[in-house]
Amino acid sequence: MLRIPRPRGDDPRPPTAPNGLRPRRGRRAVGLMAALLACASAPAGATTVTVPDDWPTIQQAIDSGAETVLVRPGIYPETLVIARAMEVKGLVPYGTSPNSLPVVSGVVLEDFTHIEFHTLYLKVWSLRILSQVRNQFETSPFWDPLDIEIAGCALDGGLVDSDTAERGQIEYYLRLCRIGGPVRLSRPQQVWFQDCTVRAAIQISGVERFSARRCDFRGPSPFAIDVYGDDSEIYDNTFEGFETPIRQRSSSTIYVSGNTFIGPGVVPVAMPIYGDLSFSNNRVTGFQYGVLVPGAWGDLYATQNLIADCGTAVRADVRYGDFLGNEVRSCEVGVFLNVLDGLQANDNVVRSCGGDGMILQASWGEVNRNVVGHCGGDGIRLTSDGRDGSNPRMIANTVYRNGGAGLVVAVTRAIISGVLDHNIAFENGRHGLESTGPGPLLAGCNDWFGNAAGAISGAEPSASDLAVDPLFCDAARDDVHLSAGSPLLDAPTCGLIGALGRGCDMPTVSRLTTFTVASTIEGVEVRWQVADAAPGFVAWLERAEAADGPWVKAECERASDGEVTVEYDRSTAPARSYWYRLVATDRGVTRALGEPIHVDTAPPQRFALLGTGPNPAPGAFEATFQLAHAADITLELFDAQGRRVATLARGAWPAGIHHASWAATHAASGLYLVRYRHPAGEDLRRIALVR
């Protein structure tokens, strides 16, 4: 155990000096022997001294008047007392691991005995400090700054001040430090954290400027940074394990940019009623709120953020709001902005939210080039009263496959008009556009296609509006760029319509979700199902006797089993090999869906694993097996390591052909083996799962 010595190194049994004598203790009465020891230990007025080469203790080196004290690695059971501008540095490379630094018990900063009228610097570098670093100033430099720089250190006990005096112009700079204890500072002029690893809370009050850059903050704790003061800048940090990583308690502006916030938690930044939040280029996952600004008198500037898997992505009641270029996905509630005056919500992407995608309320609003899709409620709702006489504008937005309406506009004053043009509303659950309120709409060059309740409710469509398939690249996978053949790339008199331009040569044809082929007593049974088929979709089977063709259309009898199409090919010969594929024409493009599947026709009275598919499978697949007579069988699935992952069928089964499916809900992509054991032996089939 380390014993904490008395302040200023006044240990009851101080270590011996290099000449073998013990230095006299005491700070004010220095006898002749102590003076001789000082002369013997280091040159008078030396600029740089080294411990233990020149002085046996660090405190004696500090008291010698040296400008720089270098400390070799080791354990020094001292609490250092520093009361002047100087440098104390571990004699190790900058950035050395905390476990390899020189170790001291503590550091105490006391009032400086002499203050000059220029900036003073106190530097503590490359030390591991076991207890709290304490600033015990009772008076402080007022006319010129005192810079306290702590770099490359391990602060196991943190950093605190006694809050006994006005801090004047004290500035703290902490760089490349590992901070294990709390930091509590009162009324400093500036505080900077850079490239630090922080494992305890930071509380700063009365600061003129606070900055944290490129630091790693880890909880668990209610908050990582609690700051009260003027402007704060928090850039390029990582926060994990906090209920509220940043708490701003003053009505000034806080700049939060380039950070990663990892939940679970309540909200990344807690704001007061009157505070302004600049929130840009951040990544937020797993919080109850991605952005929350509760007051009506602050401003919000949010740009280029990613907010995912949150309760509510954005909730802000502000005076002015800019929401630009953000991406929101998979939140329970999307974006709610209630803006007292002006709102700009442009170039955002909102996908797969449980409720409405964007709810916007403002005196006037610019809502342009947003992409909102696969949300449970309406795509974009805009309410505007136009108090300043400005017309709300919704231009070039793309809203698709939302559960409610695509666009909902409420202009609550008849003296203004809502402007809507060049928007796309595609396959939404209600109307493409719903208009309420007495204000008229100035609409044109919009495309309303495939919306369940029709194009427009509450307003008359424009003569320049369209109702054509936009031919998105792949709406099922949220790629709503326009394909090369889209009529909206350059619509007559309108030009480009929608938020996004060209993104692919042709749209993706509907996805094949089920495709199985099995030999039966009467021929071959093929079962298939597709997703995201557009109006006009047509599909047929083709058959070949080799994997590479030639392919011919199979003349089949078609039936249905729920949503699965079942086709019977009765023209096959027994004991022959065939290949089948599904070909479709969709959105003007004809192509084969998925990979061909092989099947062997055989006499029906045998035990056999007739088919597995689709192969490769995007998820669920089906196995078809045959029993020659009633028997006990097992149908099992194994992964590539030979581990059984599912039992598809087991026990006594009657004679005939049967089907068993596997949902593959939590299975990883890879190769799997289907094993069918029966009285005649066993059959094996490989299948690939591709997510």
Side-chain angles (χ1 to χ4, degrees), residues 355-557:
D356 296 333
M358 301 179 73
I359 302 176
L360 311 173
Q361 301 173 358
S363 172
W364 60 267
E366 291 280 346
V367 184
N368 306 323
R369 301 178 302 280
N370 299 285
V371 175
V372 182
H374 287 131
C375 292
D378 299 329
I380 303 176
R381 300 177 59 92
L382 174 62
T383 302
S384 177
D385 59 15
R387 290 192 307 272
D388 62 353
S390 299
N391 296 323
R393 297 161 57 88
M394 300 182 71
I395 298 175
N397 300 282
T398 296
V399 288
Y400 64 99
R401 292 181 174 170
N402 297 290
L407 302 175
V408 179
V409 181
V411 180
T412 60
R413 283 185 151 191
I415 61 173
I416 63 170
S417 302
V419 179
L420 285 90
D421 59 68
H422 291 81
N423 301 286
I424 300 175
F426 174 79
E427 293 186 355
N428 293 286
R430 296 204 310 265
H431 293 89
L433 167 65
E434 294 180 358
S435 175
T436 62
L441 296 181
L442 302 177
C445 291
N446 301 288
D447 182 43
W448 318 110
F449 180 78
N451 299 287
I456 298 178
S457 172
E460 294 297 324
S462 167
S464 61
D465 283 350
L466 304 174
V468 298
D469 189 339
L471 297 182
F472 293 133
C473 289
D474 193 351
R477 300 187 179 184
D478 292 313
D479 185 356
V480 289
H481 286 84
L482 304 177
S483 62
S486 172
L488 305 184
L489 283 173
D490 189 12
T493 72
C494 294
L496 176 65
I497 298 177
L500 306 175
R502 175 176 170 174
C504 60
D505 291 335
M506 61 181 62
T508 299
V509 180
S510 301
R511 294 180 293 114
L512 186 63
T513 59
T514 299
F515 191 53
T516 64
V517 180
S519 177
T520 69
I521 297 176
E522 298 180 352
V524 172
E525 178 189 280
V526 180
R527 303 167 67 88
W528 60 267
Q529 183 179 3
V530 297
D532 303 310
F537 172 86
V538 178
W540 61 92
L541 285 175
E542 290 187 348
R543 189 182 75 192
E545 295 187 11
D548 55 354
W551 295 91
V552 296
K553 184 175 181 180
E555 299 298 331
C556 299
E557 298 176 12

Side-chain angles (χ1 to χ4, degrees), residues 176-521:
L176 202 66
C177 290
R178 186 188 72 180
I179 302 173
V183 176
R184 293 190 298 270
L185 302 174
S186 177
R187 300 188 300 277
Q189 185 176 31
Q190 297 190 60
V191 178
W192 296 74
F193 289 82
Q194 182 174 309
D195 300 308
C196 292
T197 300
V198 184
R199 298 295 180 264
I202 295 175
Q203 293 178 279
I204 312 292
S205 62
V207 65
E208 292 185 15
R209 186 178 184 185
F210 174 82
S211 176
R213 296 174 182 262
R214 300 189 301 276
C215 294
D216 182 69
F217 294 86
R218 304 280 171 168
S221 179
F223 57 86
I225 297 173
D226 184 6
V227 61
Y228 181 90
D230 295 337
D231 292 349
S232 298
E233 300 174 351
I234 302 174
Y235 294 162
D236 304 318
N237 305 282
T238 298
F239 297 88
E240 183 173 6
F242 301 97
E243 294 180 10
T244 302
I246 302 169
R247 184 164 66 184
Q248 170 81 355
R249 293 184 290 114
S250 58
S251 58
S252 55
T253 301
I254 182 170
Y255 300 89
V256 182
S257 178
N259 302 281
T260 298
F261 298 94
I262 302 172
V266 178
V267 62
V269 183
M271 296 291 298
I273 294 177
Y274 292 92
D276 297 337
L277 174 61
S278 175
F279 197 77
S280 62
N281 295 289
N282 300 288
R283 182 182 181 91
V284 181
T285 56
F287 281 79
Q288 294 180 25
Y289 291 90
V291 175
L292 177 62
V293 185
W297 299 105
D299 296 343
L300 171 65
Y301 178 78
T303 178
Q304 302 295 326
N305 300 288
L306 171 61
I307 303 172
D309 303 311
C310 293
T312 297
V314 179
R315 173 65 192 246
D317 296 275
V318 292
R319 183 179 53 180
Y320 292 100
D322 285 349
F323 193 71
L324 310 172
N326 301 281
E327 181 178 356
V328 173
R329 60 177 185 237
S330 302
C331 293
E332 296 176 12
V333 179
V335 177
F336 181 89
L337 298 175
N338 181 22
V339 182
L340 184 63
D341 290 323
L343 165 68
Q344 293 189 81
N346 302 329
D347 304 297
N348 302 287
V349 176
V350 181
R351 295 189 176 114
S352 303
C353 291
D356 296 333
M358 301 179 73
I359 302 176
L360 311 173
Q361 301 173 358
S363 172
W364 60 267
E366 291 280 346
V367 184
N368 306 323
R369 301 178 302 280
N370 299 285
V371 175
V372 182
H374 287 131
C375 292
D378 299 329
I380 303 176
R381 300 177 59 92
L382 174 62
T383 302
S384 177
D385 59 15
R387 290 192 307 272
D388 62 353
S390 299
N391 296 323
R393 297 161 57 88
M394 300 182 71
I395 298 175
N397 300 282
T398 296
V399 288
Y400 64 99
R401 292 181 174 170
N402 297 290
L407 302 175
V408 179
V409 181
V411 180
T412 60
R413 283 185 151 191
I415 61 173
I416 63 170
S417 302
V419 179
L420 285 90
D421 59 68
H422 291 81
N423 301 286
I424 300 175
F426 174 79
E427 293 186 355
N428 293 286
R430 296 204 310 265
H431 293 89
L433 167 65
E434 294 180 358
S435 175
T436 62
L441 296 181
L442 302 177
C445 291
N446 301 288
D447 182 43
W448 318 110
F449 180 78
N451 299 287
I456 298 178
S457 172
E460 294 297 324
S462 167
S464 61
D465 283 350
L466 304 174
V468 298
D469 189 339
L471 297 182
F472 293 133
C473 289
D474 193 351
R477 300 187 179 184
D478 292 313
D479 185 356
V480 289
H481 286 84
L482 304 177
S483 62
S486 172
L488 305 184
L489 283 173
D490 189 12
T493 72
C494 294
L496 176 65
I497 298 177
L500 306 175
R502 175 176 170 174
C504 60
D505 291 335
M506 61 181 62
T508 299
V509 180
S510 301
R511 294 180 293 114
L512 186 63
T513 59
T514 299
F515 191 53
T516 64
V517 180
S519 177
T520 69
I521 297 176

